[in-house]
Amino acid sequence: MRDEDGRLVGAVPFYVSELRLLKVLPFRTLRMMADHATGSEYADWIVDPDVEKAALSAIADALLAAKSDWDTIWMPRMAGWTGAMERIKAACEEKGLLHHSRSTVFSYFDLPDSMKLYEESFSSKRRQQMRRKRRKLLNTEGVEVVLCEKPEDLPRFIETLFELHYRRWQLDGQEGAFRRKPYEAEFYRQFSRIALKNDWLWLIALTEHGEIKSIQIGYVYDGVFLQLQEGFDPDYVQGSGNVLRTEVIERRIDAGISGYDFLGGGSEHKRRWGAAERDGYDLFIAHPSKLKNKLLFSKEIWPSGRYIDEIGLLGGS
């Protein structure tokens, strides 16, 4: 959508994939650009807040008019605290687009003004364990925490991240995202170069005599550190990943960062670091004019469920 002066005030970058119900009935499905290939979260439609309602309404009108181009829209992992889902659902209801939503979970904690205050949020036993483990490992000869700051160092850091992430998930009998989705690994290779150049990247490792033993990647946006991925050597000192996370937290506090975002999912591990669960949503939308869509939306059937398979990428829209 553009305003009267021709200024772009609303856009939704979609690509087209195919979902198939019971392996037979196809649904031409719009998804947020590169969502699956990058592991992105916090999906939203892009609108100028000054004309938010009009822009969302115009996007919904455009979707209605383009009924031959799509059947459904799948937007998983939406933040529940930004109003994104409420805004989009309101536009859908105004224009009669079919939709339903379900809850999902993210994990996050505020960072206090000092590491001392952060540590005081834990029991004295946990505090002592954290300090003892950290002091012992970081005082070991040859051990240091290193931040990737040079473009020539990126390939070593990134490829080691992939390998240690895989080795970490092997412990649970899984491959991990980068082995399961090689295109996500390629995205990280390319994006990390751009992020480093623009001072967005936070790629940090615990090393022993120059060999990376644990590693974490993330970036800062709007005063919050978003932790993307991590990995550790399961044959190295137990807890090295936790020592590195403690180091990251302290450095982020010292830099004035206000929060640490674990992104999607809740777990006891995340809660042990002080994270609280916050609500998010998956949103499924369908064009109201098609009988197969009405049949699909008569039940709580989801793209990630056992009844629907994703066939793959079809093209741009």
Side-chain angles (χ1 to χ4, degrees), residues 9 109 118 123 130 155-156 175 205 212 226 290 297 302 312:
V9 293
F109 62 93
Y118 176 69
S123 68
M130 290 170 64
R156 181 172 72 94
E175 291 184 308
I212 295 173
L226 296 100
K290 303 179 181 183
F297 273 66
W302 296 91

Side-chain angles (χ1 to χ4, degrees), residues 225-243:
F225 175 72
L226 296 100
Q227 192 251 300
L228 296 176
Q229 293 285 5
E230 58 191 337
F232 61 85
D233 182 349
D235 297 325
Y236 187 57
V237 177
Q238 186 177 8
S240 65
N242 290 335
V243 170

Side-chain angles (χ1 to χ4, degrees), residues 125-314:
K125 181 179 179 181
R126 174 78 194 285
R127 242 183 352 256
Q128 290 169 6
Q129 289 174 339
M130 290 170 64
R131 290 171 178 170
R132 184 169 58 249
K133 190 73 173 179
R134 188 181 181 195
R135 183 168 56 249
K136 181 179 179 180
L137 186 54
L138 294 183
N139 286 337
T140 301
E141 183 182 354
V143 171
E144 59 181 332
V145 174
V146 181
L147 186 66
C148 182
E149 299 178 292
K150 300 177 181 178
E152 58 267 29
D153 293 334
L154 260 179
R156 181 172 72 94
F157 274 75
I158 287 292
E159 298 306 320
T160 306
L161 168 68
F162 299 159
E163 177 62 23
L164 295 185
H165 183 269
Y166 168 64
R167 293 182 64 186
R168 175 260 176 273
W169 280 104
Q170 268 192 315
L171 298 177
D172 296 331
Q174 300 182 48
E175 291 184 308
F178 299 120
R179 289 288 180 98
R180 194 175 67 253
K181 300 192 296 182
Y183 36 81
E184 186 166 333
E186 184 57 31
F187 168 77
Y188 271 68
R189 289 186 185 100
Q190 296 188 32
F191 177 74
S192 63
R193 294 197 295 268
I194 298 169
L196 181 63
K197 182 179 179 181
N198 288 278
D199 200 27
W200 304 334
L201 187 68
W202 186 260
L203 180 53
I204 190 168
L206 185 147
T207 67
E208 184 179 72
H209 299 297
E211 184 178 350
I212 295 173
K213 298 297 184 180
S214 59
I215 188 166
Q216 186 175 128
I217 186 172
Y219 66 98
V220 174
Y221 175 75
D222 197 23
V224 172
F225 175 72
L226 296 100
Q227 192 251 300
L228 296 176
Q229 293 285 5
E230 58 191 337
F232 61 85
D233 182 349
D235 297 325
Y236 187 57
V237 177
Q238 186 177 8
S240 65
N242 290 335
V243 170
L244 179 62
R245 191 186 312 282
T246 306
E247 187 75 11
V248 169
I249 290 170
E250 181 167 18
R251 293 188 186 199
R252 297 294 75 196
I253 289 173
D254 291 345
I257 302 304
S258 63
Y260 188 108
D261 194 338
F262 277 107
L263 300 174
S267 68
E268 179 58 30
H269 171 73
K270 294 177 180 180
R271 287 188 286 273
R272 289 184 71 248
W273 289 95
E277 292 184 357
R278 50 183 183 175
D279 293 333
Y281 300 94
D282 296 336
L283 182 61
F284 201 23
I285 301 170
H287 200 287
S289 68
K290 303 179 181 183
L291 178 59
K292 67 177 181 179
N293 290 351
K294 293 177 181 178
L295 291 172
L296 178 65
F297 273 66
S298 67
K299 303 290 184 181
E300 287 284 318
I301 299 175
W302 296 91
S304 56
R306 59 178 177 158
Y307 298 109
I308 296 182
D309 296 311
E310 183 171 20
I311 304 305
L313 182 71
L314 294 183

